Amino acid sequence: MKAKILYIHHGSARGGAPLSLLYMVQGMAQHGIMPVVCSATCDSEVTALFTKKNITTTTCKLLPFTHTSGGEFRLLSPIGWWRAGNWLADYPRAVKRLKGLVKSVNPNIVHLNSLVLAPYVKTLHESGVPSIVHVREHLVDGLLGVRRRWLKECLDKYADRVVFISEYNRDAIGLKSKKGIVIHNPVGFSKFDYRISKADARAKLNIPEDAEVALFAGGLIQTIKGGEEFLAAMGVVNRKRKGVRCLMPGFEMPTDEDNKNSFRSWVSRLVGYRARRQKNAMAIIDREKLTGLIHTFEFMFEMELCIAASDVVCVFHTEPHFSRLLIEAGAMKKPVVAFRIGGVQEYVNDGH
């Protein structure tokens, strides 16, 4: 008898979590398990990613609870309050949609691919379906620690198993029960192959073959990724070693439209988080004279090309975190520079 697992993914395809899920699902399929992947946010890129790999997909709108990592939930954050209110208003309907999904798929196990989906585990428990919650992010206290205690209670009371991607995340949550286990994110060694030619990768990315290149793949929008710290550090590097290139896939340089001195662009810079982050980044680029040294691309799944093209990989998360890039760089025999913080320390050996 083949088992059927319903994997519910929590966000868009622009990140490491869906890729980790993809590798895991492919591995499970080799052992006679029939996977079904559901996009909780109905993200078309997630559906396309798994459909391309001949994996059965479906959609069911389940709003992720306010994000748990990086201190993004703040007492005075209008966006945080709006997200929490939107989630609460939709929750009763989401429960009905989840019950309908489980009934149609009829899985043996439901795998929730993030802690932000943990509140739905009670519905699965009441429906008599075993559940696994995959904790891929650090859990900050939030508002007076209420969210932390509530999410922990969801795991303790209703989840059958909890998978943590780092020991730091496991210890920080501190489940009362012994249902938690640490399983590090998998890496596909056929994809992240250290034998990929640096010259070929640079040719495809239009990077000079003789340049020195530092890779930063954290994008820019989230403060916790350390994009501004990377740019500032590269300014120091380039004062000592002229011409070092910054390879930054996912970093969006402002367009001519963004730079227009119009009322719309002014309002965007005033209230738009993305616009403010871009403005701060451009100020550092101008100050450190990095213009012309930055290679940026839209989001790409071929991260192995970026790693192969690089001389050093920078993982500048400023909050406790786990980064796929750490182990991908390790698989491709590239040196890593990272901050000494929770999660990261489990994967980077200083000087080795």
Side-chain angles (χ1 to χ4, degrees):
M1 176 182 176
K2 291 186 177 181
K4 181 187 288 186
I5 300 182
L6 173 62
Y7 294 92
I8 302 181
H9 182 59
H10 61 292
S12 72
R14 294 173 174 258
L19 296 179
S20 297
L21 177 59
L22 174 62
Y23 300 145
M24 184 168 61
V25 167
Q26 289 176 323
M28 300 293 260
Q30 294 176 3
H31 295 277
I33 295 174
M34 296 185 295
V36 178
V37 174
C38 173
S39 170
T41 52
C42 303
D43 186 282
S44 58
E45 288 185 337
V46 172
T47 302
L49 173 66
F50 287 90
T51 301
K52 187 177 180 181
K53 301 296 183 180
N54 297 318
I55 295 170
T56 304
T57 61
T58 184
T59 59
C60 176
K61 182 182 176 184
L62 298 175
L63 292 180
F65 189 67
T66 311
H67 209 283
T68 65
S69 64
E72 291 192 354
F73 183 84
R74 300 181 179 90
L75 179 62
L76 300 179
S77 167
I79 294 178
W81 282 108
W82 179 82
R83 286 175 177 169
N86 195 27
W87 184 88
L88 285 170
D90 185 68
Y91 180 72
R93 295 188 293 272
V95 167
K96 292 182 180 179
R97 291 193 293 268
L98 178 57
K99 288 180 178 179
L101 174 67
V102 170
K103 185 176 181 181
S104 64
V105 175
N106 192 28
N108 300 98
I109 300 173
V110 175
H111 176 113
L112 301 172
N113 201 42
S114 170
L115 183 58
V116 295
L117 294 175
Y120 297 109
V121 79
K122 180 179 180 182
T123 301
L124 299 172
H125 178 77
E126 293 174 347
S127 300
V129 181
S131 64
I132 298 172
V133 179
H134 211 139
V135 180
R136 299 185 176 278
E137 56 277 281
H138 176 55
L139 177 57
V140 297
D141 284 337
L143 179 59
L144 304 178
V146 174
R147 177 183 53 175
R148 167 186 280 274
R149 291 193 296 272
W150 177 52
L151 290 175
K152 178 182 174 182
E153 183 179 357
C154 289
L155 299 180
D156 267 323
K157 273 190 172 184
Y158 304 114
D160 291 275
R161 292 290 186 273
V162 182
V163 176
F164 299 94
I165 64 170
S166 72
E167 295 175 7
Y168 182 88
N169 285 358
R170 177 198 61 192
D171 297 342
I173 290 180
L175 295 181
K176 294 178 182 177
S177 60
K178 295 182 179 180
K179 61 180 67 174
I181 185 173
V182 176
I183 302 178
H184 301 136
N185 276 337
V187 173
F189 285 97
S190 59
K191 177 180 175 67
F192 295 96
D193 189 340
Y194 67 90
R195 293 167 295 186
I196 295 176
S197 166
K198 178 188 286 189
D200 291 346
R202 290 190 174 188
K204 291 179 181 178
L205 299 175
N206 196 28
I207 297 174
E209 187 174 346
D210 60 347
E212 293 181 307
V213 179
L215 169 64
F216 175 82
L220 183 70
I221 301 307
Q222 286 186 298
T223 306
I224 64 171
K225 299 293 187 179
E228 293 179 17
E229 285 79 0
F230 171 74
L231 290 171
M234 291 307 296
V236 175
V237 170
N238 268 287
R239 285 195 289 274
K240 298 184 177 182
R241 300 177 72 90
K242 296 292 184 182
V244 178
R245 306 298 180 106
C246 309
L247 179 52
M248 301 181 69
F251 170 50
E252 299 176 12
M253 297 285 281
T255 63
D256 292 338
E257 184 67 28
D258 295 328
N259 292 325
K260 283 183 178 178
N261 189 22
S262 64
F263 177 75
R264 180 179 177 181
S265 64
W266 180 83
V267 172
S268 176
R269 289 192 297 270
L270 181 65
V271 302
Y273 178 73
R274 178 185 295 268
R276 290 201 303 273
R277 301 287 298 147
Q278 285 184 328
K279 183 180 179 181
N280 292 344
M282 293 308 297
I284 299 173
I285 291 171
D286 291 340
R287 184 187 73 223
E288 302 295 347
K289 298 180 174 58
L290 296 175
T291 303
L293 297 176
I294 296 177
H295 297 262
T296 181
F297 310 91
E298 294 182 356
F299 179 81
M300 57 190 298
F301 287 113
E302 296 78 17
M303 188 54 60
E304 67 276 10
L305 292 180
C306 294
I307 299 175
S310 303
D311 296 298
V312 63
V313 175
C314 299
V315 180
F316 278 12
H317 298 293
T318 58
E319 296 281 346
H321 197 77
F322 171 84
S323 172
R324 283 196 53 81
L325 193 60
L326 288 171
I327 52 178
E328 290 167 354
M332 297 188 70
K333 298 187 177 182
K334 296 289 182 175
V336 171
V337 178
F339 288 140
R340 201 185 300 272
I341 57 176
V344 170
Q345 287 180 278
E346 296 173 39
Y347 303 91
V348 180
N349 295 320
D350 192 18
H352 176 71

